[in-house]
Amino acid sequence: LITGGTVAVMLGAASTGATVTNTGGAVINGLDKGVVMAAGGDLVNSGTGPATAGSAPSSILGNNVAVLVQGAAGNVTNSGVIASANGLGVDMAAGGRLINDGSQASISGQQGAVQVAGNQANISNLNGATIKGGVQSDGVQLLAGGAVTNQGADTTIYGGNSGVSISGGNAASNIVNNVAGAQINSAGNGQTGV
């Protein structure tokens, strides 16, 4: 367990190309932000704890942002839990790639589960994974364009506004690939899944 008063794990601007790995059922929990990577890099949140401890998935938690990657593109790979009670689950401010894979993989945020700005993004939600935004937010919001793949039985992207929202970027390269068996949903209050 790593906890922090404001930020639990902070990698500064000199940390170019850094990697954060949270595995084995470990928990990173920040009162404001869970993990901040100020110069991009790679984040891996994977694995579960021992069966004697309930086999809980590895978790990254933050009240306002669970994972913030800025300064350069980032790569986030998740097969555990990334969650923000009040803000964004994953905020990638300079584009990048996110893979959310497996039945225990969950990314959630009250103000949006995944938000990517700055550059195009490639988002993959696979094999029973869940991406869930809050009542008045999007599941995935790409502000500079990109592609979203949602694939596998019981794989879900949900947002109260839109499951997936893509703006900016090159319209020809903005792609949503929802493979049979997967779902992209919204609350249905005048909005669409995509």
Side-chain angles (χ1 to χ4, degrees), residues 25-52:
V27 176
I28 296 174
N29 188 1
L31 291 179
D32 182 38
K33 298 175 179 70
V35 175
V36 174
M37 302 177 76
D42 300 324
L43 181 139
V44 178
N45 185 50
S46 67
T48 59
T52 55

Side-chain angles (χ1 to χ4, degrees), residues 4 31 71 101-102 106-108 147 149:
L31 291 179
D101 189 358
S106 171
I107 301 175
S108 63
T149 298

Side-chain angles (χ1 to χ4, degrees), residues 20-23 26 28 42-48 57-61 66-67 75-83 89-90 92 97-108 113-114 123-132:
V20 173
T21 302
N22 189 50
T23 190
I28 296 174
D42 300 324
L43 181 139
V44 178
N45 185 50
S46 67
T48 59
S58 300
S59 300
I60 301 175
L61 312 171
V67 174
N75 295 295
V76 174
T77 303
N78 180 56
S79 60
V81 173
I82 297 176
V90 175
M92 301 172 75
R97 178 169 179 78
L98 181 143
I99 300 172
N100 193 43
D101 189 358
S103 60
Q104 288 192 310
S106 171
I107 301 175
S108 63
V114 176
I123 309 296
S124 298
N125 193 47
L126 309 169
N127 303 314
T130 300
I131 294 176
K132 185 177 181 181

Side-chain angles (χ1 to χ4, degrees), residues 3 68 72 93-95 97-98 106 115 118 129 131 133 138 167-169 171 177 179 188 193:
T3 60
L68 172 60
R97 178 169 179 78
L98 181 143
S106 171
Q115 179 177 284
I131 294 176
D138 300 322
S167 59
N177 184 16
V179 180

